[in-house]
Amino acid sequence: MSGVAGILLRQEHALAARGSAPADAATDIQQMLARMRHRGPDGSSWWLDAGIALGHAWLNTLDEAGPGPLTMAGGKLAITADCRLDNRDELLARLGIRDSSVADAVLLMRTYLRWGEACPEHLQGDFAFAIWDAERQLLFCARDHFGVKPFYYHAADRRFAFASEIGPMLGLDGVGARISEHRISGFLAGLPDDPQSTPYSDIFSLPARHSLTVSARQVVLRRYWQIEPSSRPPRSDAAEEFAHLFSQSVRNRMRGTSSIGAMLSGGLDSSSIACVAGLRNAAERKPRLPTFSLIFEKGSSMDERPFIDAVLDQQKVDPTLIAVGDYAPFAEFERVLEEQEGTFLAPGLTLTRGIYRTAGPKGIKVLLDGHGGDEVVSQGHGHLHELANGGRWLDLWREIRSASNTYGDSTLGLYFQFLTLYGPAWRIAKLRQLANRTLNKIRRSTPTRGRSWRDLVNPDLAKRTELIDRFHRAGYMPRGVQASDALSHRWILSNGYVPHSFEVLDKAAANFGVEPRYPFWDKPLVEFCLGLPGEEKLSHGFGRSVLRRAMEGILPPAVQWRRDKIDFTANLVNGMVRNHRDLLEQLLVSDTDRIAPYVNLPQVSAAYARLLRQPDQAAPLDVQYVWRSASLSLWLRQVQQGGSAA
C-alpha cells in the first residue's frame, strides 16, 4: 500500500526541447505526494527529468532499501510502483538474474526491457506502476489482474497525470472537479458498471488487467489478460490441489514483513486464512499471528463469537477482540467520505475501518483479508442452473433441499423457478398453478414487491445517463451465461464490484498505514477455481465445497461446515434509526434540495417512513434507498462546501 504519482508534459515542443524539468512539475509532484502522505509513513521521494516527474510515497512492506522512484540504464528507464510480485523466482530465472534480493520494482523494469508493453502478461501479484521510457518518449502504466492496487489518471493535450488516489490530481491546475452524473446514477442503482469512471468527470480509473501507453500524440488503453480457467491439467484430488495453491497464496502474501496480521470474523474464508497463516508462523517458529475480530453483543443476530472462539481454541494466535457497542454507521462519515473521495457501495465499511484503526497502532503493516472467498471459490449457484438445464431434476431437488438452511422457506419456490426456466412444457403447464401459488405466497411476505433500483433514481437522471440500457448490459446475468456454471462464475469474477471493493478497502486501510492482502485473489487460484466442475463448488448443499474439504484438519469442524452467513442489514437499520434519526430527518425530509436532481424523492420518503414504522422488518431495498440517499446528500454537501460544481 504505497502511493505512486506522476506528471508527463505531453506538448510536442516540451518533448522536443528536453532541457531541464520545469519548476512547476517539481512543485506539483511534491504537492501530490503531500496529499498522499498517509500512504507513505516510511518516507517519500521524487525523480525529475525534462517534461516528466515521478513520485513515490513509501510504506515498507517488502523489507526493501528505500522508496522509489528507481532508475535503470543510465536514467533511460525510471519507475514508480506499488507492487508485490508473487512469481519472483520464475522471473529471476527467465531473466537470468542471480541476485535474489533485487527489488520488485527493478524486476518490473527488467521485464519491460525483455517484453516491452507485453510485460504485464508475465506477472503475478498485485501491482500498479508507471515506467518512463526516455528512448521511446513514452510512459507505460499497468494495473494488476483484479484491480487490487488503484491507479487513477487525468489525460489532457497538455499534460498527463496519475496517482494512487484522486485527490492529488484535483489539486493540479487545469483539472476540473466536475462531478460525474454517470457515476451518481450507477451508485444509486448499485451498478459499478464502468471500470474507468470515478466520481469526477475529468479523472479516470485504469481498469484491472489493462495497461496504458502515453505519448505526446496518443493515449492507448489495452487489455493484457482476461479471466479464463486454468489450462493446466488438474490433479485427481481437487481439494488437495486447492490446498496447495491456497497455502502458496497465503505464503506469498506473508512475504516481506514481520508486521503482519489477519482478520478473523469466524466465517469460512477469514478463518481458513488465519489458520493457514498461523500454522505457517508456528512451523517457522515465528511469533504468534495477530488476529483481529469484531465482537457483537452476545446472542444478537450478528454474534459470531462462538465461531471465533472455535478458531482461537484450536490455533495458537494472538487475538485482538474489538467490541462493537452501539453501532453508529454515519459516525465520522464526513471523514470517511474524504478518505473515499466519493460515494461507495459498502454500508459496512465503518466496521471494517474499525479493524484497520485498531491494527495500525499495534504496528501491523499487512493485514490478510478473507474478502472474495464467495466470488473466487464460488457458492456454486451456477451448478443449480446446470442441473436444471440438463434435466437432472432429482439431483437439483436434492441440492436445493440440502441447502434449506440457506434458502429457507423459499426452497420449494426456488425449485419451481428452475422448472419454469428449464422444465419441459407439459410439466410446466401441470405445475404452473401450484408454482404461482407458492411464489405469490413468498412474494406477499416481501413488502418491496413491484419495486426495484429504478424507483430510487430520478427518471430524468436515469434518462440522461442511459441507466436502463447500462443496467441491462451489465446489471443482469444473461440467460445463456446463467445456464453454465463456468460462464456464470466468470461473469461474477469480472463484475465491476470486484475492483470497486478493492478501491474502497485500499483507501480505508491506507489512512491507518495498513496494506490489505487478499489470498483468495491469487491468479493461479482463481484460474483453478474457475476450471472446477460445478459439483466441486456446490455439493450436498454446501457452497465452496472444495475449500471446505481442503481445510480438513486445519479448520475447526464448526467453522468448516458452517452454512450460515451473517446478514448485517438489521445492524445497519438499528444503527441508523437509533443513532442518526436527526441526521436522516435533515437529509431526507427538511433539506432535500441537494439530492432532488438525482433521487426519486417520493420513493425515498416512502422507504424512510416504512423503515421508521417497522425497523425490525425493514426490506433490504428500503435500507439501500435510505443509506444511499443519505450518503449521496452528505457527499454532495462536502463537494459543494469545497467549491466543486455539481
Side-chain angles (χ1 to χ4, degrees):
M1 190 283 305
S2 292
V4 299
I7 299 170
L8 172 65
L9 302 181
R10 299 182 63 213
Q11 298 160 308
E12 290 207 44
H13 70 83
L15 292 169
R18 295 271 172 195
S20 60
D24 59 346
T27 301
D28 285 345
I29 197 67
Q30 292 178 61
Q31 290 178 348
M32 292 174 76
L33 290 172
R35 294 189 68 162
M36 291 195 298
R37 62 170 57 91
H38 53 279
R39 301 185 74 92
D42 295 317
S44 64
S45 62
W46 57 92
W47 173 87
L48 301 171
D49 200 355
I52 180 74
L54 300 179
H56 186 229
W58 187 41
L59 175 68
N60 184 12
T61 60
L62 292 175
D63 196 26
E64 294 178 341
L70 302 176
T71 60
M72 177 179 285
K76 293 181 179 179
L77 285 185
I79 188 172
T80 182
D82 179 12
C83 66
R84 189 205 69 255
L85 297 179
D86 292 338
N87 61 332
R88 283 177 53 88
D89 292 343
E90 173 196 350
L91 292 174
L92 290 171
R94 295 182 69 182
L95 297 170
I97 301 174
R98 294 183 178 180
D99 181 6
S100 61
S101 66
V102 63
D104 283 7
V106 174
L107 263 182
L108 286 174
M109 284 192 287
R110 293 291 297 269
T111 63
Y112 177 81
L113 284 173
R114 170 69 66 87
W115 294 297
E117 293 172 38
C119 66
E121 300 171 22
H122 302 271
L123 305 177
Q124 292 179 23
D126 306 333
F127 53 83
F129 65 86
I131 294 176
W132 170 245
D133 186 333
E135 287 191 346
R136 299 177 64 199
Q137 292 290 288
L138 62 80
L139 187 71
F140 177 72
C141 316
R143 188 178 180 193
D144 62 68
H145 304 79
F146 307 111
V148 173
K149 298 293 187 180
F151 190 102
Y152 301 99
Y153 67 93
H154 167 77
D157 292 340
R158 184 175 69 89
R159 177 181 58 197
F160 176 88
F162 68 89
S164 296
E165 295 182 1
I166 293 171
M169 286 175 288
L170 289 177
L172 295 176
D173 180 51
V175 180
R178 182 168 53 94
I179 63 176
S180 168
E181 287 194 335
H182 184 279
R183 180 68 171 237
I184 290 175
S185 66
F187 164 72
L188 292 173
L191 183 69
D193 61 317
D194 184 351
Q196 290 184 265
S197 74
T198 73
Y200 297 92
S201 298
D202 289 350
I203 296 176
F204 301 91
S205 175
L206 177 59
R209 49 194 168 273
H210 279 71
S211 64
L212 197 67
T213 304
V214 186
S215 65
R217 298 181 181 274
Q218 58 185 355
V219 177
V220 179
L221 181 68
R222 170 181 171 266
R223 186 180 66 190
Y224 64 82
W225 182 75
Q226 63 181 8
I227 300 173
E228 296 287 356
S230 174
S231 58
R232 290 171 28 183
R235 295 182 184 179
S236 57
D237 188 337
E240 181 181 345
E241 174 75 355
F242 181 95
H244 167 72
L245 292 172
F246 185 65
S247 177
Q248 186 177 63
S249 177
V250 172
R251 183 182 72 243
N252 286 337
R253 281 152 185 79
M254 297 179 74
R255 176 173 76 88
T257 179
S258 58
S259 305
I260 189 165
M263 292 185 177
L264 176 59
S265 70
L268 177 62
D269 303 326
S270 68
S271 299
S272 296
I273 292 170
C275 286
V276 170
L279 289 171
R280 179 168 183 80
N281 269 12
E284 296 179 357
R285 298 184 178 181
K286 293 181 178 179
R288 294 185 176 187
L289 178 77
T291 62
F292 297 85
S293 305
L294 296 176
I295 304 299
F296 293 87
E297 182 182 356
K298 185 176 181 179
S300 71
S301 60
M302 279 70 69
D303 180 19
E304 297 187 274
R305 182 67 183 269
F307 301 103
I308 295 170
D309 286 343
V311 174
L312 299 181
D313 290 342
Q314 179 169 308
Q315 292 291 330
K316 294 181 179 179
V317 297
D318 180 16
T320 295
L321 306 180
I322 306 166
V324 180
D326 191 12
Y327 176 50
F330 287 115
E332 295 188 308
F333 206 71
E334 292 189 352
R335 172 59 183 157
V336 173
L337 287 169
E338 288 178 2
E339 293 172 358
Q340 292 298 318
E341 305 174 305
T343 55
F344 52 92
L345 294 168
L349 177 64
T350 53
L351 291 171
T352 306
R353 192 171 173 270
I355 297 178
Y356 300 143
R357 185 204 299 273
T358 303
K362 285 181 172 287
I364 298 298
K365 287 189 171 184
V366 170
L367 199 58
L368 302 178
D369 189 335
H371 169 68
D374 281 353
E375 294 87 349
V376 172
V377 187
S378 174
Q379 294 285 359
H381 297 315
H383 184 48
L384 299 177
H385 286 269
E386 282 190 334
L387 293 175
N389 194 38
R392 296 167 59 184
W393 299 107
L394 183 57
D395 290 337
L396 175 66
W397 173 248
R398 286 170 176 163
E399 283 293 352
I400 292 178
R401 189 172 183 182
S402 295
S404 59
N405 288 349
T406 301
Y407 301 119
D409 294 337
S410 64
T411 300
L412 187 60
L414 181 62
Y415 187 72
F416 282 137
Q417 286 183 19
F418 280 108
L419 276 173
T420 302
L421 286 170
Y422 299 103
W426 65 268
R427 187 172 295 176
I428 295 174
K430 185 177 179 180
L431 295 174
R432 186 182 302 277
Q433 185 177 7
L434 178 59
N436 285 337
R437 283 203 303 266
T438 303
L439 292 174
N440 286 337
K441 181 180 178 181
I442 295 167
R443 288 167 180 159
R444 278 196 299 271
S445 67
T446 305
T448 56
R449 182 183 181 187
R451 295 188 297 113
S452 71
W453 58 267
R454 190 179 303 180
D455 297 301
L456 174 58
V457 184
N458 184 305
D460 292 335
L461 175 66
K463 184 177 181 180
R464 288 197 305 272
T465 59
E466 302 179 328
L467 185 58
I468 294 176
D469 289 340
R470 289 162 52 200
F471 212 95
H472 283 295
R473 285 196 305 268
Y476 300 112
M477 188 181 295
R479 172 76 181 274
V481 171
Q482 273 189 347
S484 163
D485 178 77
L487 292 178
S488 61
H489 194 173
R490 185 170 68 176
W491 188 89
I492 291 170
L493 291 170
S494 306
N495 193 282
Y497 281 101
V498 173
H500 176 74
S501 297
F502 286 135
E503 290 165 4
V504 169
L505 293 171
D506 174 89
K507 291 173 184 175
N511 279 274
F512 299 101
V514 174
E515 176 182 299
R517 293 182 183 174
Y518 309 95
F520 283 104
W521 292 99
D522 175 76
K523 181 173 177 284
L525 185 65
V526 169
E527 292 172 331
F528 170 78
C529 290
L530 186 56
L532 288 174
E535 54 267 23
E536 292 287 357
K537 303 168 188 175
L538 177 66
S539 180
H540 300 94
F542 286 99
R544 293 169 290 170
S545 175
V546 67
L547 168 61
R548 296 177 192 272
R549 292 186 288 112
M551 292 297 104
E552 182 69 33
I554 298 175
L555 276 181
V559 177
Q560 180 187 5
W561 299 107
R562 181 183 177 183
R563 288 185 185 272
D564 64 313
K565 291 181 72 70
I566 297 298
D567 182 359
F568 291 95
T569 302
N571 197 44
L572 176 62
V573 172
N574 291 334
M576 288 195 298
V577 172
R578 185 170 56 243
N579 294 314
H580 302 296
R581 178 74 178 269
D582 291 344
L583 177 66
L584 294 176
E585 289 286 331
Q586 176 192 352
L587 299 176
L588 305 182
V589 179
S590 61
D591 188 15
T592 58
D593 290 347
R594 191 179 295 111
I595 57 173
Y598 306 108
V599 306
N600 188 333
L601 284 176
Q603 290 288 345
V604 173
S605 298
Y608 179 50
R610 286 191 294 269
L611 202 70
L612 294 179
R613 190 166 55 247
Q614 293 182 305
D616 295 338
Q617 301 178 34
L621 203 55
D622 285 344
V623 179
Q624 291 296 341
Y625 279 18
V626 171
W627 187 83
R628 290 177 189 171
S629 299
S631 298
L632 177 62
S633 182
L634 288 169
W635 179 62
L636 290 172
R637 183 173 71 184
Q638 192 173 86
V639 169
Q640 290 165 2
Q641 289 174 347
S644 301

